[in-house]
Amino acid sequence: MLTGLVAYWDNLRDGIYRLFIFPEYWHGIRLPALVPYVALAGIFAFTLGILPMLIWIERVVIGLMQDRTGPNRLGPRGLLQPPADVLKLFFKEDIQPGSIDVRLYYLAPFISMLVALSAGAVIPLQTVTFRNVHGGLYTVPVTPGNVNIGLLFMLAASSLGVYGIILAGWSSNNKYSLLGGLRASAQIISYELAMGLSLLCVVLLAGSVQLDHIVNAQNTLPFGIHWLPSFLKGSIFSWYWLQSLIVPVVIYTVAMIAETNRAPFDLPEAESELVAGFHTEYTSMKFATFFAGEYVNMLMICGLNASVFWGGWLPPFNCFPFTFIPGFVWYILKVMMGIFFYTWLRATLPRLRYDALMNLGWKRMLPLALVWLFLLAGYSLVRTATAPHITPTAVVTVAHVAPGR
Amino acid sequence: MPALILFWILAIVCIGAALTMVTAANPVRSALSLVVCFLALAVYYVTLSAQFIGAVQVVVYAGAVMVLFLFVIMLLNLGAPVTSSTKGSNQNTAAVALGAILLLVLFISGIFFEIPGKAVSPATAQAQGTVKAVGLTLYNPHLPWLFPFEATSLLLLVAVVGAIVMTRRQV
């Protein structure tokens, strides 16, 4: 009975999926070539569109958690508060303090925003299927740049983001700003190591640093156990948060909060010690750009988290009600779960002391991540191979190709 | 042709940044010019299909090493333009002479090591620069690259241990 029902729904699903298979050529236009542009427009529109809403979400969630009302003046449930805030920031007086390094002072917010946005260039939203002229099907990941260094690109973008903060702290010519900038650089360098190591654990299992390969490598039965039912294929139990045995995702989650300077790791802008930290001297839209840059950075880091540890566009179970929902909805849902987690921590945890922060980064998380990397290296030797693309023949071909000119 | 335009734009940015790095009086500006130079180099690597090297260039040099440089400069508060620190020494002459020698060595190495003049096909070049190709070449037992790589990392480890020992002694 149950299997019959499942088969019925599977047939229905396949029928609906057939509607979403695009031809390769449409009126002479090669459609797969348009996918990156669609993805770029989608990521930009989503990121910049959700920004004001993120602030609203954060206020409402914190209000609920701390038993307060939250925004409730403008519009239903305070929904018009974000546009009002944006308007207010536009019309605030733009103050330029004296004795600053003018060029770097104006450059800093833009670096912050630009670098954060550029990380979106490699994020895969979902896959789309095309039928070529011979009737064969192939899938293309919906991402602006499907490069083979996707993960490294994200890491590079997140590590370059610190320049905006350092330069803001430096060029403001203010003790508090400088201290904020110094704290930010020290913190980001420290936590980047643990973050990179926890991502390396996943790279070991997936056998690739290309983000869509990493997501596709999660589309297996949990731990490669072949007798499990098919609705668990690519399910929540086969994503890398569990397959890498939980520790890397914990390390990454802590490191990602430290990387984006959010509570409880928001020492660079600790208001009780440093006024407002690195953006003390910034007003109106320059401050707003920093603010937006921070939120974009959060979105991108959560996006990496979602595709590396939480299965990207894969639905939590490979069966009827979940598979009807398109992949990018799942992806955005996972990103927003990350944002909710950020808000949750901000609402509940007090700020760390500076030495506690450094101890956690260097003496707890880094050794743990290193040990786990070695354990997983051993484990990935004995587990069933999920990377069939690295075969002895491939080694031989590259050995012939590589030493040539 | 677009590749050539990109090459010249990058060349101007890269050399301009390098010159600013050498001539700027403010150490922070110097460090930032070096970052720009590194980023331009990373784009060069990508245009040469060495995507992995490009990414590593950004992560390691622009992202980590230069942030540490800036950190130290700001911690020591070297903000005020330091003038005449090199006056009277023949540091500038030595720098120019060493730079000229390095350039000469590069030109000569181009002759001796037969740097390929004609371009390989894009597909071949593309396949050589990926993470997979670099990894397979590095760990190929028939090629001698793994030992120098590991030896270099050992050297870095020794440097780190040395730095810790030096700081511990003064306490």
Side-chain angles (χ1 to χ4, degrees), chain B residues 15-151:
Chain B
I15 292 176
L19 284 178
T20 321
M21 197 272 286
V22 177
T23 53
N26 190 329
V28 173
R29 289 251 167 112
S30 270
L32 285 176
S33 316
L34 194 55
V35 173
V36 174
C37 185
F38 281 157
L39 289 178
L41 266 185
V43 183
Y44 261 135
Y45 288 138
V46 173
T47 59
L48 293 172
S49 302
Q51 299 151 15
F52 177 65
I53 305 293
V56 167
Q57 169 87 8
V58 176
V59 172
V60 175
Y61 285 102
V65 172
M66 289 318 294
V67 173
L68 271 179
F69 268 49
L70 272 178
F71 183 77
V72 171
I73 290 172
M74 289 180 186
L75 205 64
L76 299 178
N77 210 2
L78 297 175
V82 186
T83 50
S84 74
S85 63
T86 57
K87 198 177 279 180
S89 73
N90 44 15
Q91 194 181 346
N92 287 345
T93 331
V96 169
L98 287 176
I101 290 172
L102 181 64
L103 198 64
L104 199 68
V105 168
L106 281 177
F107 277 131
I108 293 172
S109 68
I111 298 165
F112 274 113
F113 289 97
E114 288 178 27
I115 290 170
K118 63 174 181 187
V120 291
S121 75
T124 319
Q126 183 76 16
Q128 282 184 24
T130 60
V131 182
K132 193 166 120 187
V134 170
L136 287 174
T137 312
L138 190 62
Y139 285 92
N140 190 341
H142 303 295
L143 295 173
W145 306 129
L146 189 58
F147 178 72
F149 179 72
E150 300 285 353

Side-chain angles (χ1 to χ4, degrees), chain A residues 101 148 163 166 170 182 185 399, chain B residues 29 51 62 66 71 74 79 140:
Chain A
D101 193 327
N148 70 81
Y163 278 111
I166 294 188
W170 168 259
L182 283 177
S185 53
Chain B
R29 289 251 167 112
Q51 299 151 15
M66 289 318 294
F71 183 77
M74 289 180 186
N140 190 341

Side-chain angles (χ1 to χ4, degrees), chain A residues 356-371:
Chain A
L357 173 97
M358 285 293 152
N359 271 347
L360 180 68
W362 288 103
K363 294 186 180 167
R364 307 274 193 286
M365 284 180 21
L366 184 63
L368 184 61
L370 260 179
V371 167

